[in-house]
C-alpha cells in the first residue's frame, strides 16, 4: 500500500475536519443539559418517552454543538441559494424565499373548525370585556406572506388562513381592526414593513401601527392621546446596519438570500419620558426614561448574529405578564393588550398613549409551567378601559386563544 | 439512527472504531459481541421497542439454524426441510403481520363494504431486509453454503450488523459466513471503505435530498389536482434520481462501512440508468434483492429450464413477490407486474441480441421510459393517482394545469438534476481510470472527497429534511 494512497490522504483530511468540529466544542455542555433533562423525564414518564428525549438531545448536541455549526449553516445557505433552492425544511417549520428574496414561514392550510373555535373564544372574551365596562377590539397585525409573491410551486396558506379567520371573526360578531387592509391603503408593501430575515415588522412600522390603532380607537370610542408622542419626527432614529439576522435567517443561514443581513433601527423619543416597567412574577421593576426602561441595549450592544436577537432590544423580549406605567400620562386610559412578539416593538410606543398598559402573553413560559392566567378574571381584577388582542396572521399556537 | 446524520458521523462511528480497533483489538469474539451490541443500539436509536422484534428474529433463526444443521448431519433431510418451512413461515409471518396485515385486512373488509377493525401497526425499520437476511442464514446452512453458528451472538451479528441492517444490501450468509470469525481487516480496505462511505453520504445528502424536494412538490400537487406535462416529467425524473441516489448512496455507505470492519459485501448497484433493456436494468439495480429472489425462489421453482409456460409462471411469481416485498399497496404489486410483462416480452423477442448505434439509443430510451413510468407507479399513493400522473405526463386531462409552477421548479432544480444525471453514469469511473496516480492527483482527489464531506455535513446541520425511501421496507 502506497503511503500517499488517495484514500489515506482523504481519511487524514476528513479526520482533521471531524476533530476540528469536536475540539473545544460546546458538545459537553449540550450533553450535560440534555442528559439532566432526560433523567427527569425518564423518572416522570418512563423509559421510552425519556429515551426519545435522550436521543433528541444527543442529536442536537452533535449538530448544534459542533464548533463550526454556524459556519456550516452559512456554507449550506450559500450553496442552496446558488443552486436555486427556495425552501428549507427545519422539521418543526419550513422557511421559504419570496420572489423578492424575503424569507417567510410556510404555512399549511388551517382547518376551518380550528379557526371557528378561536373566533368563538375571542367572542367570549369580548363579551367578558363588555360586561366589565371595557371596550374591545381584535387587532389583526400584518403577517409576512399575505401580499408577498412566492414561486408558483410554493403553496403558502398565510393569506387564506388569515382571510378565513377574519370571516370567522365576522361570523362570531367580534369587532376587529385589520391592519393588513390599513397597510395596503397606506401604500406600504411587505418588503418595506418586514425584515428580510425575520418574521417581525420593523420598529418604524410598529410605530406606524401604534398611530393606526390609536386613531382607530379614537374614531370608535373617543380614545384620547397625544399624537406628538407617537410621531416618528419626534424620535431619534439610530440605525444599526447589517446587525440583525432574524429568526428565519438563523434557521437557514445568512446567505440563503442575496439581500443579506437586516438593518435595525432603535427609536428613542426626543422628549421627556418616565415609565415603570414591571414584569409580574419575576421580581423585576424598573423606573426611568423610555430609553432606560423599555429599550434593552444588551441585545444590540455588539453583533452576534446567531446568539443575539436585536429585535428584543424593544421591551427586552416576551414575558408572561408585564405592566408599563406612563408617569407622564396619569389621565390616560388603561389598556389590556393580549400580545405576541409583534407587541415587543408595538407596546413601548403604545405606552406613550396610555397611563397603564397591561401586557399578557398567553404562550407557555418555562418558569410558569402549568400556571395559566385566566384573562376574564384578570379583566375583573384590573378593570381596564380597553381590551385589545393583537396577533399576527393566524398563529399555529392554539393556546394563545385559551383566555380562561 | 441514520448514516447520514451528525450523530452517526461524529459520535457513533468514531466510538465504534476506537473501541473495535483499540479496546477489543486482540479478541475476535469480543469484537463481534461489541459490534452486535452497538448494532442493536444503532437499530433501537429511533424506536427502542423494535429491538425486541430484532432479538426475537435472531433467536428464532439461530434455533432453526441449529436444528437444520443437526438434522442435515443426521441425514434426516425431510426434518431439515420441515424446519426450513417453519422458519420461513415464522419469518414471513412476522413480516406479514407488521407490514401486510393492515393492507390485507383493508382489502378483505372492503369487499364486504366494511372498515378494517385492525389498528395500524408500526413497521419495524428494515424488517424486509433483515427478515430476508435471516432466512438466508437458515437456507444457506441447509445448502451447505456456510457453517452453522453455535454462538447466538454471531448469528446476531450477521443479521443485525449495523452497516446493512436497515437498508441492505441483503447480505447472503454465504457471503460473510467465513468473515464472521475469520475476517482480516486491512488498511487498504479500511481507507477505501471510508472513502466509499463519504461518496455514498454525498450521493444521499447532496443529490437525493435535493431532488426529493421537487419530487415531493410535484407528487404532492398531483394529489390535489392536475399538473402540466413539464411538471409531471420533472417530478418523475426527480424521483427517478432520488430513489437511485438515496438507495445507491446508502448501499455505498453500507459497503464502505462493512469494509472498514473487514466485511466484504457484494455490490448492489451498477449504474442501472445506462441499461439498454429491462433485463439489463435488473442486473444493475438492487442486485442483492434480485439475486436473492433468483436463488431462493426462481431457481427452486425451475427457473427458465422448464417449458415456456412454466418459465413465464416462475417469472410471474418472482415479480409478484418483488412488488409485494416493496410495500403493502397495489402500486407496488402493479409495479412488480409491469416488470414481469416487460421481462417476459424481452425474453421472447430477444432484445439483448439487437445491437447498433441507433438501436442502442432506442433501447436506452425505451428502458428509461418504462423505468421512469415504473417509478411513478412506485411513488404514487394509489393506483388512481399513478394513472392520473402518467396521463399528465402525456398531456391527458391537464389542459387547465398552470405552466408557471413547472418553470419555477425547473429553475430551482436544474443544476442538481443535471448533476444527478451526470453522476448516474460511469463518467467519473472512466475519468478516474485514465488519470495517472501520483501525489498531486491523489491530493486533488482527496480534497474533492473532503469537499463532498463538508458540503454533506453542512447540509445535515442545516436541514432536518432527510427522507429515506427504503427505510419503509
Amino acid at each position: 500500500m502506497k503511503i500517499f494512497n488517495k484514500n489515506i490522504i482523504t481519511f487524514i483530511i476528513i479526520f482533521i475536519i471531524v476533530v476540528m468540529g469536536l475540539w473545544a466544542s460546546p458538545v459537553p455542555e449540550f450533553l450535560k443539559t440534555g442528559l439532566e433533562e432526560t433523567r427527569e423525564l425518564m423518572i416522570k414518564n418512563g423509559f421510552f418517552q425519556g429515551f426519545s428525549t435522550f436521543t433528541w438531545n444527543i442529536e442536537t448536541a452533535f449538530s448544534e454543538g459542533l464548533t463550526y455549526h454556524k459556519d456550516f449553516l452559512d456554507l449550506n445557505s450559500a450553496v442552496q441559494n446558488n443552486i436555486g433552492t427556495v425552501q428549507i425544511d427545519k422539521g418543526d417549520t419550513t422557511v421559504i424565499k419570496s420572489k423578492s428574496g424575503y424569507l417567510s414561514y410556510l404555512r399549511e392550510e388551517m382547518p376551518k373548525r380550528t379557526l371557528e373555535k378561536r373566533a368563538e373564544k375571542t367572542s367570549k372574551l369580548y363579551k367578558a370585556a363588555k360586561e366589565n365596562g371595557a371596550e374591545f377590539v381584535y387587532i389583526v397585525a400584518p403577517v409576512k406572506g399575505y401580499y408577498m409573491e412566492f414561486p408558483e410551486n410554493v403553496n403558502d396558506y398565510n393569506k387564506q388562513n388569515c382571510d378565513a379567520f377574519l370571516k370567522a371573526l365576522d361570523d362570531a360578531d367580534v369587532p376587529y381592526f385589520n391592519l393588513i387592509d390599513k397597510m395596503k391603503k397606506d401604500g406600504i408593501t411587505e418588503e418595506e414593513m418586514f425584515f428580510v430575515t425575520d418574521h417581525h415588522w420593523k420598529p418604524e412600522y410598529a410605530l406606524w401601527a401604534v398611530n393606526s390603532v390609536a386613531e382607530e380607537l379614537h374614531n370608535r370610542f373617543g380614545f384620547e392621546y397625544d399624537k406628538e408622542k407617537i410621531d416618528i419626527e419626534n424620535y431619534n432614529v439610530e440605525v444599526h446596519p447589517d446587525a440583525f439576522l432574524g429568526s428565519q435567517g438563523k434557521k437557514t443561514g445568512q446567505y440563503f438570500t442575496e439581500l443579506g443581513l437586516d438593518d435595525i433601527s432603535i427609536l428613542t423619543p426626543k422628549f421627556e419620558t418616565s415609565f415603570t416597567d414591571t414584569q409580574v412574577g419575576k421580581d423585576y421593576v424598573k423606573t426611568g426614561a423610555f430609553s432606560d426602561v423599555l429599550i434593552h441595549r444588551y441585545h444590540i450592544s455588539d453583533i452576534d448574529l446567531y446568539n443575539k436577537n436585536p429585535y428584543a432590544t424593544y421591551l427586552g423580549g416576551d414575558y408572561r405578564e408585564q405592566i408599563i406605567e406612563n408617569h407622564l400620562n396619569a389621565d390616560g386610559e388603561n389598556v389590556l393588550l393580549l400580545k405576541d412578539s409583534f407587541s415587543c416593538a408595538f407596546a413601548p410606543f403604545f405606552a406613550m398613549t396610555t397611563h397603564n398598559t397591561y401586557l399578557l402573553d398567553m404562550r407557555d413560559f418555562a418558569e410558569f409551567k402549568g400556571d395559566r392566567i385566566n384573562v376574564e378574571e384578570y379583566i375583573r381584577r384590573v378593570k381596564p378601559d380597553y381590551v385589545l388582542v393583537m396577533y399576527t396572521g393566524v398563529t399555529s399556537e392554539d393556546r394563545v386563544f385559551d383566555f380562561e | 439512527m441514520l448514516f447520514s446524520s451528525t450523530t452517526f458521523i461524529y459520535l457513533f462511528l468514531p466510538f465504534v472504531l476506537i473501541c473495535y480497533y483499540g479496546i477489543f483489538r486482540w479478541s475476535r469474539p469480543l469484537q463481534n459481541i461489541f459490534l452486535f451490541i452497538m448494532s442493536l443500539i444503532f437499530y433501537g436509536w429511533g424506536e427502542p421497542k423494535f429491538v425486541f422484534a430484532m432479538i426475537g428474529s435472531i433467536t428464532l433463526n439461530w434455533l432453526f439454524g441449529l436444528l437444520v444443521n443437526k438434522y442435515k448431519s443426521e441425514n434426516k433431510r425431510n426434518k431439515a426441510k420441515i424446519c426450513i418451512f417453519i422458519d420461513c413461515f415464522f419469518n414471513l409471518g412476522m413480516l406479514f403481520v407488521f407490514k401486510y396485515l393492515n393492507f390485507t385486512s383493508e382489502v378483505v373488509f372492503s369487499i364486504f363494504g366494511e372498515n378494517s377493525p385492525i389498528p395500524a401497526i408500526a413497521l419495524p425499520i428494515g424488517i424486509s431486509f433483515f427478515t430476508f437476511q435471516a432466512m438466508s442464514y437458515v437456507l444457506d446452512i441447509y445448502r451447505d453454503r456456510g457453517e452453522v453458528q453455535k454462538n447466538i451472538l454471531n448469528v446476531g451479528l450477521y443479521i443485525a450488523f449495523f452497516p446493512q441492517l436497515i437498508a441492505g444490501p441483503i447480505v447472503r450468509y454465504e457471503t460473510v459466513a467465513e468473515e464472521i470469525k475469520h475476517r482480516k481487516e486491512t488498511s487498504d480496505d479500511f481507507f477505501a471503505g471510508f472513502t466509499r462511505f463519504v461518496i455514498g453520504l454525498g450521493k444521499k445528502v447532496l443529490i437525493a435530498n435535493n431532488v426529493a424536494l421537487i419530487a415531493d412538490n410535484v407528487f404532492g400537487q398531483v394529489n390535489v389536482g392536475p399538473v402540466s406535462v413539464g411538471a409531471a416529467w420533472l417530478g418523475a425524473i426527480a424521483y427517478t434520481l432520488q430513489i437511485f441516489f438515496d438507495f445507491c448512496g446508502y448501499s455505498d455507505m453500507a459497503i464502505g462501512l462493512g469494509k472498514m470492519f473487514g466485511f466484504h459485501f457484494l455490490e448492489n448497484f451498477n449504474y442501472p440508468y445506462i441499461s439498454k433493456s429491462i433485463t439489463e436494468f435488473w442486473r444493475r439495480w438492487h442486485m442483492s434483492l434480485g439475486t436473492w429472489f433468483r436463488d431462493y425462489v426462481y431457481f427452486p421453482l425451475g427457473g427458465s429450464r422448464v417449458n415456456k409456460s412454466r418459465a413465464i409462471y416462475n417469472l410471474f411469481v418472482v415479480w409478484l413477490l418483488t412488488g409485494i416485498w416493496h410495500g403493502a399497496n397495489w402500486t407496488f404489486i402493479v409495479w412488480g407486474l409491469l416488470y414481469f410483462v416487460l421481462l417476459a416480452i424481452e425474453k421472447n423477442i430477444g432484445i439483448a441480441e439487437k445491437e447498433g448505434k441507433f438501436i442502442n439509443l432506442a433501447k436506452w430510451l425505451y428502458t428509461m421510459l418504462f423505468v421512469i413510468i415504473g417509478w411513478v407507479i412506485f411513488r404514487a399513493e394509489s393506483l388512481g393517482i399513478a394513472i392520473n400522473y402518467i396521463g399528465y405526463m402525456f398531456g391527458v386531462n391537464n389542459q387547465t394545469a398552470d405552466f408557471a409552477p413547472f418553470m419555477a421548479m425547473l429553475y430551482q432544480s436544474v443544476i442538481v438534476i443535471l448533476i444527478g444525471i451526470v453522476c448516474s453514469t460511469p463518467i467519473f469511473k472512466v475519468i478516474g481510470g485514465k488519470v495517472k496516480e501520483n501525489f498531486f492527483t491523489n491530493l486533488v482527489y482527496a480534497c474533492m472527497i473532503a469537499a463532498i464531506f463538508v458540503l454533506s455535513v453542512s447540509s445535515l446541520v442545516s436541514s432536518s429534511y432527510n427522507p429515506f425511501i427504503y427505510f419503509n421496507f
Side-chain angles (χ1 to χ4, degrees):
Chain A
M1 184 193 66
K2 288 183 188 167
I3 291 174
F4 296 118
N5 172 300
K6 61 186 178 185
N7 293 322
I8 294 177
I9 302 174
T10 303
F11 179 80
I12 291 169
I13 296 174
I14 294 177
F15 177 79
I16 292 169
I17 293 170
V18 168
V19 168
M20 280 168 62
L22 295 171
W23 192 266
S25 74
V27 165
E29 283 91 58
F30 273 88
L31 286 174
K32 190 164 170 262
T33 316
L35 292 174
E36 275 170 24
E37 186 191 344
T38 302
R39 194 171 52 86
E40 284 168 20
L41 209 60
M42 274 193 184
I43 293 167
K44 194 177 161 193
N45 294 337
F47 174 79
F48 288 111
Q49 184 153 356
F51 187 78
S52 70
T53 305
F54 168 74
T55 57
W56 184 85
N57 280 316
I58 300 275
E59 284 164 8
T60 303
F62 281 92
S63 173
E64 294 178 24
L66 298 176
T67 53
Y68 38 59
H69 177 258
K70 302 286 184 280
D71 300 310
F72 273 23
L73 200 66
D74 287 340
L75 172 62
N76 185 66
S77 68
V79 169
Q80 293 299 327
N81 189 20
N82 279 290
I83 65 172
T85 304
V86 298
Q87 183 171 319
I88 290 186
D89 189 335
K90 298 295 291 187
D92 57 345
T93 189
T94 299
V95 179
I96 50 178
K97 190 162 54 173
S98 74
K99 285 184 178 178
S100 52
Y102 276 63
L103 304 183
S104 185
Y105 288 125
L106 182 74
R107 296 287 179 221
E108 295 192 350
E109 192 173 12
M110 292 282 282
K112 199 174 156 208
R113 188 64 204 127
T114 303
L115 300 176
E116 285 168 356
K117 274 190 189 166
R118 292 181 182 187
E120 285 161 17
K121 290 180 183 177
T122 311
S123 174
K124 205 159 173 280
L125 183 68
Y126 162 48
K127 292 182 176 89
K130 292 295 283 182
E131 278 165 16
N132 284 279
E135 300 295 355
F136 178 95
V137 182
Y138 183 98
I139 302 167
V140 184
V143 59
K144 206 177 184 187
Y146 190 93
Y147 291 119
M148 231 169 238
E149 278 190 44
F150 296 101
E152 287 78 3
N153 62 313
V154 172
N155 295 318
D156 177 53
Y157 283 87
N158 263 310
K159 183 179 188 313
Q160 287 90 325
N161 289 343
C162 226
D163 290 345
F165 183 58
L166 288 174
K167 183 172 180 318
L169 288 177
D170 269 333
D171 292 342
D173 291 322
V174 173
Y176 65 83
F177 174 46
N178 191 349
L179 279 173
I180 301 177
D181 271 352
K182 183 75 169 50
M183 79 183 260
K184 188 153 195 202
K185 279 183 193 142
D186 289 356
I188 301 169
T189 64
E190 283 189 20
E191 283 79 2
E192 287 168 329
M193 174 172 281
F194 292 99
F195 293 106
V196 174
T197 65
D198 195 73
H199 58 291
H200 293 112
W201 48 17
K202 295 174 186 166
E204 294 89 334
Y205 291 94
L207 184 51
W208 162 85
V210 168
N211 276 274
S212 302
V213 169
E215 186 186 352
E216 184 66 18
L217 292 178
H218 174 76
N219 291 340
R220 287 195 196 197
F221 311 113
F223 178 78
E224 293 296 340
Y225 66 101
D226 183 353
K227 282 184 189 169
E228 298 295 313
K229 295 281 166 67
I230 51 173
D231 184 342
I232 197 169
E233 295 299 320
N234 296 328
Y235 282 79
N236 296 312
V237 180
E238 181 189 317
V239 178
H240 293 255
D242 292 340
F244 185 26
L245 182 66
S247 58
Q248 290 150 350
K250 283 184 172 74
K251 288 183 190 294
T252 61
Q254 63 176 296
Y255 302 113
F256 189 53
T257 167
E258 290 97 359
L259 300 177
L261 300 170
D262 281 297
D263 301 341
I264 185 166
S265 306
I266 306 302
L267 275 55
T268 49
K270 293 175 182 171
F271 47 88
E272 189 193 353
T273 56
S274 177
F275 289 94
T276 295
D277 177 20
T278 306
Q279 291 171 23
V280 180
K282 287 190 83 173
D283 200 25
Y284 177 95
V285 180
K286 196 167 183 189
T287 299
F290 179 98
S291 303
D292 300 319
V293 173
L294 301 176
I295 299 294
H296 294 242
R297 287 199 172 265
Y298 159 76
H299 299 284
I300 199 76
S301 55
D302 53 74
I303 295 177
D304 186 346
L305 294 178
Y306 284 98
N307 294 313
K308 283 196 170 178
N309 178 17
Y311 182 77
T313 303
Y314 291 92
L315 217 59
D318 297 302
Y319 305 101
R320 191 177 74 148
E321 185 188 348
Q322 205 170 348
I323 303 169
I324 305 173
E325 184 182 356
N326 184 347
H327 298 294
L328 302 185
N329 193 19
D331 296 332
E333 309 277 16
N334 295 320
V335 178
L336 166 62
L337 172 61
L338 275 76
K339 65 177 277 294
D340 60 17
S341 54
F342 271 57
S343 288
C344 290
F346 177 90
F349 304 116
F350 189 68
M352 294 287 190
T353 68
T354 66
H355 173 48
N356 284 307
T357 306
Y358 300 91
L359 301 170
L360 289 183
D361 195 322
M362 303 306 291
R363 292 172 293 182
D364 288 332
F365 288 85
E367 57 266 43
F368 298 107
K369 209 161 186 169
D371 178 18
R372 301 278 302 165
I373 289 181
N374 185 319
V375 182
E376 292 182 18
E377 267 178 33
Y378 194 90
I379 293 172
R380 281 192 282 275
R381 178 162 58 86
V382 159
K383 297 189 189 330
D385 302 306
Y386 292 87
V387 174
L388 308 177
V389 180
M390 187 171 78
Y391 295 145
T392 173
V394 174
T395 173
S396 55
E397 299 181 67
D398 256 346
R399 62 183 181 276
V400 300
F401 287 90
D402 289 335
F403 301 123
E404 291 179 322
Chain B
M1 194 186 295
L2 292 176
F3 295 153
S4 53
S5 69
T6 48
T7 308
F8 182 84
I9 295 166
Y10 286 86
L11 175 64
F12 187 88
L13 183 60
F15 176 75
V16 172
L17 286 172
I18 288 168
C19 292
Y20 184 84
Y21 284 108
I23 301 169
F24 302 115
R25 176 189 178 127
W26 291 280
S27 167
R28 178 67 77 211
L30 281 180
Q31 282 182 324
N32 284 352
I33 291 168
F34 172 71
L35 284 181
F36 172 59
I37 292 169
M38 294 310 295
S39 296
L40 289 181
I41 291 172
F42 178 88
Y43 186 67
W45 188 261
E47 183 50 77
K49 292 177 190 168
F50 290 153
V51 170
F52 298 108
M54 167 70 63
I55 291 172
S57 173
I58 291 167
T59 308
L60 187 88
N61 287 283
W62 168 73
L63 274 170
F64 278 104
L66 290 174
L67 283 172
V68 165
N69 187 63
K70 174 180 176 312
Y71 290 133
K72 210 166 51 90
S73 57
E74 291 170 1
N75 217 18
K76 294 173 183 172
R77 293 196 90 80
N78 283 338
K79 280 194 175 176
K81 280 184 185 174
I82 291 170
C83 286
I84 286 175
F85 177 79
I86 298 172
D87 178 68
C88 288
F89 177 80
F90 274 117
N91 278 299
L92 294 173
M94 185 169 87
L95 189 60
F96 177 80
V97 166
F98 280 112
K99 195 167 174 180
Y100 302 105
L101 181 59
N102 281 129
F103 172 68
T104 309
S105 70
E106 276 166 19
V107 168
V108 167
F109 277 89
S110 70
I111 294 171
F112 303 102
E114 302 278 332
N115 288 327
S116 164
I118 297 173
I121 300 171
L123 182 69
I125 296 165
I127 188 170
S128 302
F129 290 96
F130 72 71
T131 306
F132 271 36
Q133 235 170 263
M135 286 194 292
S136 161
Y137 169 68
V138 179
L139 290 166
D140 281 356
I141 288 170
Y142 178 79
R143 289 160 14 130
D144 292 321
R145 299 283 176 90
E147 178 196 350
V148 70
Q149 294 291 342
K150 296 212 166 57
N151 185 339
I152 189 175
L153 295 174
N154 285 340
V155 176
L157 178 62
Y158 161 65
I159 292 172
F161 188 35
F162 72 87
Q164 32 69 195
L165 169 60
I166 49 179
I170 300 172
V171 177
R172 305 265 284 276
Y173 180 61
E174 60 177 314
T175 306
V176 296
E178 185 65 18
E179 289 180 335
I180 287 175
K181 283 186 190 165
H182 306 295
R183 62 188 177 275
K184 190 162 171 23
E185 299 91 336
T186 66
S187 52
D188 267 350
D189 278 347
F190 181 88
F191 294 117
F194 179 78
T195 301
R196 184 87 185 256
F197 171 80
V198 174
I199 290 172
L201 181 71
K203 284 181 183 177
K204 165 81 182 83
V205 175
L206 299 178
I207 302 179
N209 285 3
N210 279 301
V211 291
L213 288 170
I214 297 301
D216 286 353
N217 200 176
V218 178
F219 278 88
Q221 190 54 43
V222 168
N223 288 341
V224 177
V227 297
S228 63
V229 172
W233 275 100
L234 188 64
I237 290 169
Y239 186 69
T240 300
L241 292 171
Q242 178 194 353
I243 194 167
F244 171 58
F245 285 103
D246 214 58
F247 199 12
C248 173
Y250 214 85
S251 292
D252 280 348
M253 288 192 271
I255 292 167
L257 287 168
K259 243 179 170 175
M260 290 172 79
F261 294 98
F263 289 93
H264 297 84
F265 305 147
L266 297 178
E267 292 296 328
N268 212 14
F269 292 88
N270 183 20
Y271 303 101
Y273 292 159
I274 64 170
S275 301
K276 294 188 290 301
S277 68
I278 299 295
T279 308
E280 185 184 355
F281 176 77
W282 277 100
R283 288 198 189 119
R284 293 172 176 272
W285 177 275
H286 200 177
M287 297 187 286
S288 63
L289 181 73
T291 52
W292 198 100
F293 273 116
R294 181 195 65 194
D295 294 344
Y296 294 118
V297 178
Y298 189 61
F299 284 166
L301 286 175
S304 54
R305 293 180 187 182
V306 289
N307 64 49
K308 205 169 184 178
S309 57
R310 175 69 192 202
I312 289 179
Y313 169 77
N314 293 344
L315 208 61
F316 170 78
V317 169
V318 165
W319 287 100
L320 176 65
L321 291 177
T322 301
I324 290 172
W325 181 89
H326 280 84
N329 194 320
W330 289 113
T331 52
F332 298 114
I333 293 171
V334 167
W335 172 82
L337 293 178
L338 168 69
Y339 281 114
F340 156 66
V341 168
L342 292 170
L343 287 164
I345 292 171
E346 283 189 5
K347 272 190 183 340
N348 278 294
I349 66 173
I351 195 168
E353 289 87 44
K354 295 175 177 31
E355 291 285 336
K357 203 171 176 180
F358 293 108
I359 291 176
N360 283 342
L361 177 62
K363 280 163 65 177
W364 178 79
L365 285 169
Y366 139 80
T367 304
M368 284 314 299
L369 173 67
F370 280 102
V371 164
I372 291 172
I373 287 174
W375 288 136
V376 169
I377 299 170
F378 189 91
R379 172 64 171 82
E381 286 178 17
S382 70
L383 276 182
I385 291 171
I387 291 167
N388 286 341
Y389 194 111
I390 294 167
Y392 301 149
M393 288 168 76
F394 296 99
V396 175
N397 289 333
N398 62 343
Q399 290 77 12
T400 58
D402 193 358
F403 190 68
F406 162 64
M407 293 307 297
M409 284 188 288
L410 187 64
Y411 170 78
Q412 292 160 28
S413 63
V414 64
I415 293 175
V416 73
I417 281 185
L418 285 174
I419 291 173
I421 290 171
V422 168
C423 291
S424 66
T425 67
I427 186 168
F428 291 111
K429 192 176 173 184
V430 168
I431 292 172
K434 289 182 167 32
V435 169
K436 200 170 175 177
E437 266 199 46
N438 56 44
F439 175 72
F440 177 73
T441 56
N442 286 347
L443 185 62
V444 168
Y445 175 86
C447 288
M448 282 167 49
I449 303 298
I452 290 174
F453 177 81
V454 166
L455 289 173
S456 300
V457 173
S458 71
S459 178
L460 290 176
V461 302
S462 305
S463 170
S464 66
Y465 188 68
N466 200 3
F468 183 50
I469 301 166
Y470 268 78
F471 243 27
N472 298 319
F473 310 140

